[in-house]
Amino acid sequence: MIDTLIRKFFELEEKQPEKVAVAFKNEQLTYKQLCERICGMAAVLRENGVEKSDRVCFMALSKPEMVVAYLGIQMIGAVPVFLDKNSTAENIALVYGACGAALLLCDKPLKDAAKDLNVKSLKKFYEASDEASKDKISKIKEEYAIPDEDELAEILFTTGSTGTPKGVKLAYKSVHNIYMNTIEGIGISENEIMLLPLPLNHSFALRVLRATLYQGATVILQNGFTFAKAVEENIEKFSCTAMACVPASYEVMKSQMQDAFSLVISKLRYIEFGAGSLSVAQRLEISKLLPDVHIYNTWGSSESGGAIFCDVTDCVNKGGKVVSSLGRPLKGKVEVRVLAQDAPIDNPEKINGHLEEYFIDGNESNPGRMTLKGDMQMVGYWNNEEQTQQTLIDGWLLTGDLAYTDDEDNVYMLGRADDIINVGGEKVSPIEVENIAGQYEFIKECACLGVEDPDHITGQAPALFVVTKPGYVEEDFVKFLSANMERYKMPKVYIKLLELPRNRMQKVDRKKLAAIYNGNEDKPLMNPIVENLLTRRSVRKFTDQEIPKDILDVILKCGYYAPSGHNLQTWQFTVIEKEEDIARLKEAVKKAAEENNVNFYGWENPKVLVLVSNDNRNPLGCQDASNASENMMLTAHSFGIGSVWLNPLMTLRDVSPVSEILTEFGVPKNHTVWSTIAMGYSLTEGAFLKKKENVIKIV
């Protein structure tokens, strides 16, 4: 007999009743409160006609009510079916019908597609769970019995390659081994305070949630990574020790936090990355930025949970020998073998009982389909026997990934079998191309895709979609690639995007990339001017590299040619280039800002300051200065030069000692300094801050 989370909660309720189990913003549930709410939810479900084995769909919100609903459903022997909180009414109805659900717990407005469903308010059920009597709670507890290990515990619906949802069935044995594998593979302790900013209908988030709670630790829920400020606030507020996130979230945090990234994230003991692999460049970079934070990268799926664990920190510290691998399967718990590509897996009747005859040792030039075995794997797909028979053969779980292993059990992924590019008979791994391209200093992120050879010679050819950093030159990038990869692996097509399309879990959406390439999906209208406008970021740290005089002259000229109200041109651009003058002004501004309670974020090592001032008698002085400043910053960006607009001189123009220095520099006394532009070659990439929505109104 295996253990369950609910049984464990009974123990933790007695052992540590006042310890916080789950928190979201200002709402917290202790282990005692959580246990009581789960029992209360079970009672409410029963009162609403839910019986053992019924399927109950519910919105997997990143709130304590999700945990209560999930385990309350299981407590009466019903089967929880998780729904993405962003699901459309059509998708909700599709999943509801596919699993034959008895109830839907949901608070979002549903259109006609869901009008025939048995819908109840999740919020009201959650509130009612807190009002359940002690007698009802005691009765529910007394009646609870640990289910048989092969009994159906839950269903996770995933979207397959056809777009049709597949219901992954997990038995209680599967669930138990999934969270035990995570506990062992990562080393989650009972003292952990886990920050979990992931959608809770996803297998990665779920296994971390289960594992943390089973250990009696604390889970801090967060609604996504869109604004990295929430990460900083939660780490500070709850003293988080660990975090689970996806690789794309790392880039968001690094960009938005800027200098604070290392300071904030270094407070954690470890980070587990899942739902995708960190690139080689990311693994090396994050290990350098966070030397005291242990980094893990886990491979898993809805069908297997976390199964292959990579200790990135150890790999990097040991010279990077296996830094590009997925890691190793959990010893004694998960077995990985490579299945020959010509194995007749489309004919399960032929291969059943003989699967092991098709296993190969595999290597980089002869990979095979990755196949796993362990007690954590699913028991099949809901009402889809054909798909089940093609995926579970002779006790092995077949994946769609091409991989190979080495003599130390490290697993190396080449990509999904359907994504491998056939270049004139040579097989090219898109992951390998991405790993090499991602190490070029002016590439922010990239994705490789197989497309029809534009020269009609090799059948397929690699196309590379790139998101670039200032300083990118395609000719230099191509030279870098040609020096680091075989000729047949070289991309024939390069497409610049502002960002890569991603799905709900922030994985690169290769279908959308293909649609963009084939013209079936709109690609943002782009030309050099639009790209320059959309990619400029504020930069506050600069290198020692000087700005060439001819480039600075062009930047100033573009400011001079900005629009001016009534063409008065009453502005002045005061250009400061001497290091000692810049330092002297900075110190004066900093002191005056502190004394006058003015925000001053400063600058670090700019090569040039441009003070844009205008005559106080011009009522359009601010607008004129703004136009000129924008022109100069955009022009600087087009030459790969960073800049930032600083405001304090607008307020401190007449404050000593600032006023004396400005007069010394030749700024007229009747001028307001509307903007101070600091410029130089960027030391760090500027922050990409999330833009607010619904600010454009068309009437």
Side-chain angles (χ1 to χ4, degrees):
M1 179 179 290
I2 50 88
D3 203 358
T4 65
L5 267 178
I6 294 171
R7 205 287 315 161
K8 185 72 171 180
F9 282 171
F10 294 162
E11 174 188 310
L12 293 170
E13 181 188 21
E14 297 295 325
K15 178 183 176 182
Q16 50 188 45
E18 301 307 316
K19 183 174 181 178
V20 175
V22 183
F24 173 73
K25 294 185 177 178
N26 294 323
E27 182 181 9
Q28 299 183 10
L29 292 180
T30 65
Y31 272 93
K32 179 177 176 59
Q33 291 169 330
L34 179 59
C35 195
E36 289 177 347
R37 294 294 285 267
I38 290 168
C39 294
M41 177 64 76
V44 175
L45 289 164
R46 272 191 179 169
E47 290 168 359
N48 281 268
V50 178
E51 299 178 352
K52 183 178 174 63
S53 300
D54 281 348
R55 274 76 61 203
V56 179
C57 297
F58 68 103
M59 304 306 292
L61 305 172
S62 292
K63 296 181 179 180
E65 60 201 67
M66 175 272 172
V67 183
V68 170
Y70 163 40
L71 295 169
I73 294 166
Q74 281 192 340
M75 191 153 197
I76 57 173
V79 181
V81 181
F82 306 85
L83 294 173
D84 190 322
K85 66 177 184 178
N86 293 322
S87 293
T88 63
E90 290 75 16
N91 284 339
I92 289 172
L94 187 63
V95 171
Y96 184 98
C99 69
L103 178 66
L104 166 63
L105 296 178
C106 176
D107 290 301
K108 66 187 293 183
L110 298 177
K111 298 178 182 178
D112 291 343
K115 65 180 180 180
D116 296 326
L117 311 186
N118 181 18
V119 184
K120 300 291 184 182
S121 167
L122 174 57
K123 182 179 180 181
K124 289 182 178 179
F125 270 47
Y126 180 62
E127 291 171 349
S129 73
D130 192 34
E131 298 168 0
S133 67
K134 290 183 178 179
D135 289 342
K136 286 182 180 179
I137 290 174
S138 296
K139 189 172 186 297
I140 288 287
K141 274 188 177 181
E142 290 171 4
E143 293 178 352
Y144 179 74
I146 295 180
D148 183 82
E149 65 177 23
D150 295 322
E151 191 174 320
L152 182 61
E154 55 200 57
I155 303 175
L156 296 177
F157 272 87
T158 65
T159 301
S161 57
T162 63
T164 304
K166 295 186 298 182
V168 175
K169 298 191 299 183
L170 297 177
Y172 278 94
K173 179 173 73 173
S174 311
V175 172
H176 175 77
N177 283 282
I178 285 171
Y179 61 66
M180 294 306 291
N181 286 353
T182 296
I183 290 169
E184 182 177 339
I186 302 300
I188 300 175
S189 77
E190 63 180 9
N191 298 317
E192 225 66 79
I193 302 175
M194 172 67 68
L195 181 57
L196 189 55
L198 300 168
L200 295 181
N201 64 301
H202 192 272
S203 60
F204 174 34
L206 272 174
R207 67 175 175 78
V208 173
L209 174 74
R210 299 189 203 101
T212 306
L213 291 176
Y214 188 85
Q215 287 293 79
T218 299
V219 174
I220 309 302
L221 299 176
Q222 180 180 307
N223 188 17
F225 272 100
T226 304
F227 294 96
K229 186 67 175 175
V231 173
E232 182 176 352
E233 290 171 350
N234 277 325
I235 290 175
E236 183 66 29
K237 178 178 180 179
F238 295 103
S239 300
C240 296
T241 63
M243 178 167 61
C245 62
V246 297
S249 301
Y250 160 62
E251 298 293 346
V252 171
M253 290 187 294
K254 187 179 64 167
S255 175
Q256 292 189 8
M257 290 182 179
Q258 292 285 286
D259 294 346
F261 174 77
S262 296
L263 182 65
V264 171
I265 306 302
S266 63
K267 296 176 182 178
L268 301 175
R269 183 174 73 85
Y270 79 84
I271 303 173
E272 181 188 4
F273 288 93
S277 291
L278 291 163
S279 68
V280 171
Q282 286 176 323
R283 291 180 177 191
L284 295 172
E285 180 184 65
I286 197 170
S287 297
K288 182 178 180 180
L289 289 174
L290 303 171
D292 298 321
V293 180
H294 219 94
I295 307 299
Y296 298 94
N297 200 176
T298 306
W299 181 93
S301 67
S302 299
E303 291 86 349
S304 70
I308 302 174
F309 296 86
C310 180
D311 187 327
V312 175
T313 300
D314 280 358
C315 290
V316 172
N317 289 344
K318 291 176 181 177
K321 181 185 177 189
V322 291
V323 75
S324 63
S325 80
L326 288 185
R328 299 182 180 94
L330 200 58
K331 192 171 183 179
K333 302 292 181 64
V334 182
E335 190 175 355
V336 173
R337 295 295 302 272
V338 175
L339 190 66
Q341 293 187 56
D342 59 359
I345 58 175
D346 293 333
N347 187 354
E349 291 183 2
K350 181 177 179 180
I351 204 171
N352 262 331
H354 306 283
L355 184 71
E356 296 196 12
E357 297 177 11
Y358 295 93
F359 286 150
I360 60 174
D361 290 337
N363 52 53
E364 187 173 4
S365 59
N366 184 32
R369 191 176 293 261
M370 187 168 72
T371 309
L372 303 94
K373 179 188 280 189
D375 288 337
M376 76 293 166
Q377 67 193 38
M378 70 168 186
V379 294
Y381 294 109
W382 178 264
N383 282 349
N384 194 334
E385 189 59 30
E386 181 181 355
Q387 187 74 46
T388 298
Q389 289 180 0
Q390 291 178 351
T391 306
L392 294 174
I393 302 177
D394 291 353
W396 290 84
L397 173 66
L398 277 62
T399 75
D401 300 306
L402 281 187
Y404 64 94
T405 59
D406 63 18
D407 55 7
E408 295 181 355
D409 294 328
N410 295 298
V411 181
Y412 296 84
M413 177 80 73
L414 299 184
R416 300 287 295 177
D418 294 341
D419 294 336
I420 298 299
I421 307 166
N422 189 339
V423 181
E426 297 281 3
K427 300 296 190 294
V428 176
S429 162
I431 291 178
E432 181 185 3
V433 175
E434 292 163 5
N435 273 333
I436 294 172
Q439 295 179 63
Y440 184 62
E441 61 179 323
F442 298 116
I443 292 294
K444 183 175 182 181
E445 57 180 355
C446 61
C448 182
L449 196 70
V451 300
E452 183 178 347
D453 178 15
D455 297 326
H456 307 290
I457 297 172
T458 59
Q460 281 190 310
L464 193 64
F465 296 81
V466 296
V467 178
T468 63
K469 299 177 182 179
Y472 171 83
V473 177
E474 186 170 300
E475 182 180 348
D476 294 340
F477 179 46
V478 173
K479 288 179 181 178
F480 171 84
L481 294 180
S482 63
N484 288 279
M485 67 172 63
E486 293 88 341
R487 185 173 180 179
Y488 70 89
K489 297 177 182 177
M490 288 286 295
K492 279 196 174 182
V493 181
Y494 298 86
I495 300 172
K496 288 180 69 174
L497 297 176
L498 287 177
E499 58 183 13
L500 298 179
R502 297 182 182 276
N503 62 19
R504 178 84 171 96
M505 281 301 290
Q506 296 301 301
K507 290 184 180 180
V508 173
D509 191 330
R510 295 181 186 274
K511 288 184 180 179
K512 283 192 176 181
L513 287 177
I516 290 172
Y517 181 82
N518 293 320
N520 297 326
E521 180 158 323
D522 289 340
K523 176 185 174 184
L525 293 175
M526 192 65 61
N527 60 37
I529 294 176
V530 174
E531 182 183 2
N532 194 53
L533 282 164
L534 297 181
T535 58
R536 199 204 78 81
R537 308 281 181 260
S538 292
V539 174
R540 295 177 183 276
K541 285 189 173 184
F542 308 94
T543 70
D544 291 329
Q545 183 179 350
E546 299 290 338
I547 300 176
K549 185 179 184 306
D550 56 345
I551 293 180
L552 180 58
D553 288 344
V554 171
I555 292 171
L556 296 169
K557 186 174 184 179
C558 287
Y560 174 70
Y561 270 81
S564 172
H566 304 297
N567 198 32
L568 293 177
Q569 300 182 50
T570 56
W571 50 35
Q572 177 174 303
F573 306 155
T574 304
V575 183
I576 308 171
E577 296 183 274
K578 292 181 180 179
E579 185 176 345
E580 58 270 26
D581 287 341
I582 292 173
R584 189 156 55 98
L585 179 59
K586 177 180 178 178
E587 189 59 34
V589 173
K590 182 180 179 182
K591 179 181 178 183
E594 290 173 352
E595 293 175 349
N596 292 271
N597 197 27
V598 173
N599 286 329
F600 175 59
Y601 298 107
W603 58 75
E604 190 170 319
N605 198 36
K607 295 294 103 178
V608 173
L609 288 184
V610 180
L611 313 185
V612 183
S613 62
N614 214 325
D615 194 313
N616 293 332
R617 293 168 293 181
N618 183 351
L620 301 176
C622 176
Q623 292 90 324
D624 288 358
S626 298
N627 287 333
S629 298
E630 182 179 39
N631 272 20
M632 284 188 274
M633 290 189 295
L634 287 170
T635 305
H637 180 56
S638 72
F639 285 107
I641 294 169
S643 64
V644 63
W645 177 325
L646 304 164
N647 283 315
L649 288 183
M650 179 179 66
T651 306
L652 303 173
R653 169 65 183 92
D654 296 321
V655 176
S656 183
V658 174
S659 59
E660 290 83 356
I661 294 176
L662 293 181
T663 299
E664 177 188 335
F665 289 162
V667 178
K669 287 185 177 293
N670 65 332
H671 270 217
T672 296
V673 180
W674 291 107
S675 73
T676 302
I677 304 172
M679 287 189 290
Y681 286 95
S682 306
L683 181 65
T684 58
E685 186 180 351
F688 174 67
L689 303 179
K690 179 72 175 177
K691 292 295 183 181
K692 292 183 179 179
E693 299 178 356
N694 304 320
V695 298
I696 298 174
K697 181 171 180 162
I698 300 175
V699 295

